[in-house]
Amino acid sequence: MATLLHLDSSVSPTSASASRSVTETFRKAWEEQHPEGTVIYRDLSAEPVPHITADAHSAGFADPATHTPEQAAAFAERVRLIEELEQADAVLIGAPMYNFTIPSTLKAWLDNVILMGRTAGETPSAKGTPVTVVASRGGSYAPGTPRESFEYVQNYLTAVLAGGLGLDLDFIVPELTMAPYNPAMAELVPLFEASRERALQEAATKAKALAERLAA
């Protein structure tokens, strides 16, 4: 049975969140293909994982036999998150852009699961696992736009997820999500609506194709 690890990090509920509505569409399409499968869901906004601490960080570079009680407890939490990643057949991440980058809750999860010599390094333990990131943003940071140079979500996650963890990375990018709420962006509402519909269609199509690929 296939296992999907689904992470959301938007602070908004699904009704008001572009990234959550798209990940929900992806997940439902996935579940239709894998009705007997498993979905491990983490809402990183509602239940944040611990930010990395000195004990959690240093324990990753030390022999477990030498861990202090504090290091052992902190490292056990990291291992739990790492094992969820390693055991997943596919990963789905909602990553809205906040102040030009990812939410701190998602960064905390990454800091916990990136472990040199295990998930990162010469032979990453989850290498090749497909990961779909829904990278929503209030404006547009696409190539050729005035704010292209401020795009630190896709650039960063490509470096970390593909370059660092060796995952098979794909993006869905709903943009201009602030257009319905910002009067200065009113003329961009049709472009936002088109982007939203395209993202929802991509989510359903890509989830189905990925599920079929893993089942083959």
Side-chain angles (χ1 to χ4, degrees), residues 104-127:
S104 64
T105 51
L106 179 54
K107 179 61 164 58
W109 179 82
L110 288 167
D111 286 340
N112 275 279
V113 301
I114 297 171
L115 181 61
M116 190 59 62
R118 182 164 176 173
T119 58
E122 293 185 5
T123 56
S125 56
K127 183 177 181 178

Side-chain angles (χ1 to χ4, degrees), residues 6-134:
H6 175 188
L7 309 172
D8 275 326
S9 58
S10 171
V11 298
S12 302
T14 300
S15 60
S17 169
S19 64
R20 286 182 186 271
S21 63
V22 176
T23 60
E24 181 180 66
T25 297
F26 186 106
R27 174 175 170 173
K28 286 181 177 178
W30 169 278
E31 290 176 325
E32 288 175 0
Q33 300 297 311
H34 291 293
E36 304 301 322
T38 299
V39 175
I40 299 172
Y41 180 62
R42 283 191 173 274
D43 187 333
L44 298 176
S45 177
E47 297 182 16
V49 301
H51 280 276
I52 203 80
T53 63
D55 286 326
H57 177 68
S58 59
F61 299 95
D63 182 340
T66 68
H67 286 175
T68 65
E70 292 78 16
Q71 285 179 314
F75 192 62
E77 288 298 307
R78 290 188 67 185
V79 169
R80 184 162 60 93
L81 297 172
I82 287 170
E83 289 178 344
E84 287 181 351
L85 173 62
E86 292 173 335
Q87 294 166 10
D89 295 291
V91 182
L92 172 65
I93 300 175
M97 178 186 282
Y98 291 160
N99 301 314
F100 305 118
T101 190
I102 63 173
S104 64
T105 51
L106 179 54
K107 179 61 164 58
W109 179 82
L110 288 167
D111 286 340
N112 275 279
V113 301
I114 297 171
L115 181 61
M116 190 59 62
R118 182 164 176 173
T119 58
E122 293 185 5
T123 56
S125 56
K127 183 177 181 178
T129 302
V131 54
T132 303
V133 176
V134 179

